[in-house]
Amino acid sequence: MQTEILLDDPSLVEVINEIHSEPWPRFLSEDEAVKKYWRDLYGRFPQYQLLFKDADEYLGLANAFPIFWNGTTEGLPAGFDEAVRLITRASKPANALCALAIVVRKKHAGKGVSSAILRVIKEKAKEGGFRNLIIPVRPTLKSQYPLIPMGSYMQWKKEGWPFDPWLRVHVKAGGKILKEAIPSMVVKGTIAKWQDWTGLHFGESGEYVVKGALNPVMIDLQKDLGEYIEPNIWILHECE
């Protein structure tokens, strides 16, 4: 597996955008931090925007960014959104690397690509002088259990390992599950927008299970508002 870096070839941003268009539910692209800051961060930290290739085919990517973290669980950002804001408006020198996205193309899932990507990111963190790699992980199968609180789901086990495949990859690679990251992402929109994003009809106020969502979406017809609060899980990889 070859690694390509945005710093060496700025045109790779087109490949990054293409790969990101595949796995995420449509509504996540409406997250405020994503819309305001996400793509600008590529240009600020191109040395940590990584693409992974086998022969002539791209297998996946990793988007990582330097961040300040005081080393305590309590000192972690709430989740993805706050991490993006802290990276963008850094007031202290970065001392950790934060991988905000790791994507493996669907056709290559289950082939060990994610483990290989993790190894490379940890090496990049170490090369950059960072002792810690922190990741707000989006568990692979959580969307199949949207009514189960993330705090409970993250404790599920299968044969002694985390039940969720993505969590299992991290733990087997030496990662430590620190805590639930909530709110990690927040998406708000009118009822019309949510109907467009999901293809669902919302006939009354209440909680709705939406494909791809890790938690139910809250719909308030009176306020003409739909709100989704995504939970993730903070994981630490020590890179010494």
Side-chain angles (χ1 to χ4, degrees):
M1 187 175 74
Q2 303 166 280
T3 303
E4 296 185 355
I5 305 173
L6 184 61
L7 178 65
D8 300 330
D9 182 0
S11 71
L12 289 174
V13 72
E14 297 178 9
V15 183
I16 292 173
N17 292 337
E18 178 191 350
I19 293 176
H20 269 303
S21 70
E22 179 182 299
W24 314 113
R26 183 179 169 191
F27 56 83
L28 279 189
S29 65
E30 302 297 327
D31 173 84
E32 183 179 355
V34 170
K35 291 195 295 183
K36 288 182 66 174
Y37 305 117
W38 182 244
R39 293 190 181 185
D40 289 342
L41 288 178
Y42 297 165
R44 290 183 58 185
F45 303 103
Q47 68 273 37
Y48 296 115
Q49 311 315 306
L50 312 175
L51 283 157
F52 301 90
K53 193 174 185 181
D54 184 21
D56 294 325
E57 186 171 14
Y58 287 99
L59 310 179
L61 61 75
N63 302 119
F65 309 92
I67 193 171
F68 175 80
W69 174 46
N70 68 8
T72 69
T73 301
E74 295 74 21
L76 287 165
F80 178 97
D81 286 352
E82 187 177 355
V84 168
R85 287 189 283 269
L86 289 172
I87 292 163
T88 302
R89 307 166 183 170
S91 59
K92 297 181 180 180
N95 62 357
L97 195 64
C98 182
L100 287 177
I102 298 173
V103 179
V104 176
R105 305 193 92 159
K106 291 180 181 178
K107 63 188 292 187
H108 299 293
K111 300 178 181 179
V113 176
S114 57
S115 297
I117 289 176
L118 264 181
R119 287 195 294 271
V120 173
I121 303 173
K122 290 168 74 171
E123 281 301 315
K124 289 294 179 184
K126 191 173 182 179
E127 290 172 10
F130 302 118
R131 297 175 58 187
N132 295 313
L133 170 68
I134 55 175
I135 308 174
V137 170
R138 189 176 205 266
T140 308
L141 298 184
K142 178 62 172 72
S143 62
Q144 297 182 19
Y145 306 92
L147 303 181
I148 301 297
M150 182 66 89
S152 298
Y153 180 82
M154 63 191 281
Q155 298 180 48
W156 287 10
K157 302 290 184 183
K158 183 178 181 180
E159 298 175 351
W161 295 98
F163 164 78
D164 189 88
W166 193 203
L167 293 182
R168 191 158 59 243
V169 167
H170 281 281
V171 172
K172 286 187 174 182
K176 300 176 183 178
I177 297 175
L178 298 182
K179 70 171 184 176
E180 179 181 7
I182 189 167
S184 192
M185 303 178 80
V186 178
V187 179
K188 296 181 181 181
T190 64
I191 304 304
K193 285 182 177 179
W194 273 102
Q195 290 181 160
D196 180 49
W197 297 336
T198 65
L200 297 177
H201 173 72
F202 302 106
E204 60 184 70
S205 298
E207 294 185 345
Y208 285 81
V209 172
V210 169
K211 184 177 181 181
L214 308 191
N215 272 350
V217 175
M218 296 296 300
I219 296 293
D220 189 323
L221 296 184
Q222 186 175 0
K223 295 181 179 178
D224 189 25
L225 177 67
E227 182 178 38
Y228 171 65
I229 299 176
E230 166 143 317
N232 291 156
I233 298 171
W234 278 113
I235 289 185
L236 165 66
H237 289 271
E238 297 175 340
C239 303
E240 292 182 300

